[in-house]
Amino acid sequence: MRAFFVILICKLLKFIGGVIGRGSSLPGQIALKLYPGILGKIKLPSYIIAVTGSNGKTSTVEMIAHILQNNGKTVAWNREGSNQIEGVTTLILSSCTLGGRMKSDILLIESDERYARYTFSYFHPTHYVMTNLYRDQLTRNGHPQWVYEALSHSIHNDTQLILNADDPLISKFGQGREDTLYFGLDKLKTSINYNDGVYDDGIYCPLCFGKMEYDYYHYNHIGSYHCTACGFHRHDTSFTVTDADMEKKIIQIDGKYTIPLAFTGMYNIYNILAAYSACRVAGISGDKIADSIGNYMLKNGRIVGFNLGDHEGVMLTSKHENSVSYDQSLKYIRSTKDRCSVIVIVDAVSRKYFTGETSWLWDINFDHLDCPHVENIYLSGTYVNDLALRFSFTDIPSEKIKPIADIQQCVDYIKSSGNEKLYCVTCFSDKDKLLSRVETL
Amino acid sequence: MKVKILHLYNNLMNLYGEYANISILCRHLSEQGVECEIIKSDSCEGFELSDFDFIYVGSGTEAAQERAAADLIRKKDELLSCAAAGTVMLFTGNSFELLGSKITEDDGKVLEGIGLKDFETKVSYKKRYTGDCVCSCKFIEKPFVGFINKGSQTFGITEPLFQMQMGEGNSEGDKGEGFRQYNVFGTHLIGPILVKNPHFTKYIIELLTKGDKHFSYTDKFSPYEQGSYEITLRELNKRMNT
């Protein structure tokens, strides 16, 4: 009876919240206060897929939901944000019957790395997709090893792990777990034989601290590695990108499924592969997945087209305090061919908390933008000096670098000059400061 | 004039863009007409510490700190004599804990420190102390800005380097942060603190060039560094006053 009332209250609060436009974590928060063990009382579906990791959670979850729904499955899932226990509680209680039974075929959960241990103490996912662990929001996360430690408490014996084989720290979770499945990329034409980041988090083995060697890298420390001391190495994969052609914008998975890409960024390829892996495990065939996800445009606003004067623009939403996320956006710009300019905005470091910490700028390899087709680099926002100082240590010719602190002035300046393509690289916390001043598509 | 710099544990202890401390220091030394030679190494084996004018170590994970402690202890006597002879050293983040007498890890394991000062550190995996900082020190007029990100508390420092106006001190409730002994500076401020605090870079350069009577420091205006410092301080002051 207690569960009945708590579910009812949660549903009502969710409804009211929807009407007044409030976030989706409050109803769950109140439900947990009223009945801390409520999640343990719900009859959950036979497939519970969780997704976690530093980068790609939201996009991967959106793709999994899209594929599953496209193939006739009903899915309950948490859209953008709300990935801590309160948001997950809102999701579960608002999508179950008043009798406490979930009607969906599949419960799909994006989970915050640090709080997954709390969420999954009440129930365990049947399948747990882990994308990567990078230096991410170190101002609150300490460092990737620390997040690894927190995340390890969220893994239970009755959960099957689906891991990114190309990330050494993520792969460590599979040690001693026989039923673990791995996904990864074969050596591709885009593979390189050096770490192209500013720092190298793949130098030392995450198991024994021995020296690691790589056969190839896809980007930063993601690639095919082995430890020269203990033998820890990239695991063979069950789900694999076997070929990629960035010019033709296609990838091939498992040697037979060709998937056209709406966006050729390397992280998009990993997200598609992670989604493919989860959906295969959920019983969808490879060709049906390929049909569903081909040319898929994400709806979560991570990539947004816009116009500014004669410039055709693309917002590549990246994450402040997350150098790999920036590196990926910068590498994508480098891989394009048309003449372009880039605007980088650092105004509020985070949307969730205040900090003036900008050490992470030094971990980003801005030299990716040192290429002839990048004509101007505009820097803007409160921390414009930190950006300009960081750029002064790149090899990019200084005349290309244009710091304009005020975002409106910067936008006006760009609007009145040139017609080259424009890429904006910034974070969720700052992207609307540009998008509200341009014509979005 | 030439300055020899050792960036020790440049991969091992480089969690927060610490390499930039060396980049900015060398840029300013060059601007002052001082030549720089930089050696980077993840081990202190293979060279004489006394060959260097400046030694720098940054922050690492707890596991990396353990590796660094095991390596550094082998050069304990050499490091202590360099410190006593006036070699300028900067240890930022958890590397500064290596200079005390011991570090007790979360699992109870004890790491032996260099013992430059008799302080000790306790590491915890449960609680992290993170936050922006504003602090002051006795020998430089301008306040410092930075960020602390640590999973430890340090006890037994009677003469700290900084007094904290904002941010965590050496241990809970302690307003004192870091320490100085001779020309060795230790602080839990992470990342490129020389980038963020141009007055500290200038002070380090003055220490490094003190022995050369032909040298005199020429002020060069670096608008981005000044701007970065002033805006960060302004934003943090706003924060403190609300």
Side-chain angles (χ1 to χ4, degrees), chain B residues 104-119:
Chain B
T104 309
E105 295 192 279
D106 196 39
D107 59 4
K109 190 171 171 185
V110 176
L111 309 179
E112 190 189 341
I114 293 303
L116 180 60
K117 269 283 196 185
D118 190 22
F119 62 81

Side-chain angles (χ1 to χ4, degrees), chain B residues 108-226:
Chain B
K109 190 171 171 185
V110 176
L111 309 179
E112 190 189 341
I114 293 303
L116 180 60
K117 269 283 196 185
D118 190 22
F119 62 81
E120 63 173 285
T121 299
K122 291 194 167 67
V123 178
S124 162
Y125 246 84
K126 284 166 201 78
K127 185 166 183 189
R128 278 196 91 82
Y129 302 90
T130 62
D132 292 272
C133 301
V134 179
C135 51
S136 55
C137 74
K138 282 182 190 150
F139 50 90
I140 297 175
E141 197 188 332
K142 285 186 176 172
F144 280 59
V145 294
F147 197 90
I148 280 181
N149 187 345
K150 63 175 184 175
S152 63
Q153 295 196 72
T154 298
F155 304 94
I157 291 176
T158 47
E159 288 174 62
L161 175 62
F162 294 122
Q163 284 299 316
M164 306 303 284
Q165 276 88 57
M166 177 187 201
E168 202 68 42
N170 285 322
S171 59
E172 270 184 33
D174 186 357
K175 287 282 163 208
E177 203 286 324
F179 87 113
R180 177 181 182 172
Q181 173 82 331
Y182 312 117
N183 287 330
V184 181
F185 304 88
T187 172
H188 248 299
L189 294 181
I190 56 148
I193 77 164
L194 294 181
V195 175
K196 273 288 196 184
N197 297 281
H199 43 286
F200 194 30
T201 310
K202 181 182 172 187
Y203 184 80
I204 296 277
I205 290 175
E206 283 169 345
L207 285 178
L208 288 171
T209 52
K210 218 159 65 181
D212 185 346
K213 56 181 180 297
H214 303 294
F215 179 85
S216 70
Y217 190 91
T218 319
D219 266 318
K220 306 248 184 195
F221 182 56
S222 311
Y224 299 145
E225 277 163 80
Q226 276 310 322

Side-chain angles (χ1 to χ4, degrees), chain A residues 208-272:
Chain A
C208 77
F209 241 98
K211 195 101 172 87
M212 293 231 287
E213 281 177 359
Y214 277 69
D215 299 320
Y216 54 86
Y217 296 82
H218 294 299
Y219 60 86
N220 298 71
H221 62 283
I222 302 304
S224 179
Y225 50 84
H226 62 272
C227 172
T228 56
C230 76
F232 174 65
H233 59 90
R234 177 188 185 269
H235 203 283
D236 288 340
T237 50
S238 305
F239 310 108
T240 316
V241 170
T242 42
D243 200 4
D245 188 329
M246 301 306 191
E247 302 271 313
K248 291 189 186 143
K249 297 173 99 175
I250 48 169
I251 56 168
Q252 187 189 59
I253 295 186
D254 290 345
K256 49 189 164 183
Y257 307 115
T258 300
I259 298 178
L261 303 171
F263 177 72
T264 57
M266 194 56 95
Y267 57 97
N268 189 40
I269 295 174
Y270 270 98
N271 293 343
I272 289 173

Side-chain angles (χ1 to χ4, degrees), chain A residues 308-325:
Chain A
L308 176 61
D310 294 331
H311 302 274
E312 217 177 88
V314 180
M315 164 72 65
L316 300 170
T317 310
S318 311
K319 288 161 85 181
H320 292 337
E321 302 187 84
N322 186 313
S323 47
V324 174
S325 152

Side-chain angles (χ1 to χ4, degrees), chain A residues 330 342 344 362 366-367 369 377-379 385-396 398 401, chain B residues 27:
Chain A
L330 303 175
V342 179
V344 184
W362 297 88
F366 285 108
D367 273 301
L369 294 181
I377 299 168
Y378 300 98
L379 309 174
N385 291 288
D386 299 64
L387 276 168
L389 188 57
R390 173 66 188 90
F391 271 88
S392 76
F393 281 92
T394 64
D395 292 329
I396 302 167
S398 60
I401 297 165
Chain B
R27 173 180 285 186

Side-chain angles (χ1 to χ4, degrees), chain A residues 308 406-415 434 437-438:
Chain A
L308 176 61
D406 184 84
I407 297 172
Q408 185 63 54
Q409 274 180 26
C410 188
V411 168
D412 291 343
Y413 182 90
I414 298 170
K415 191 176 182 179
L434 180 90
R437 293 175 160 101
V438 296

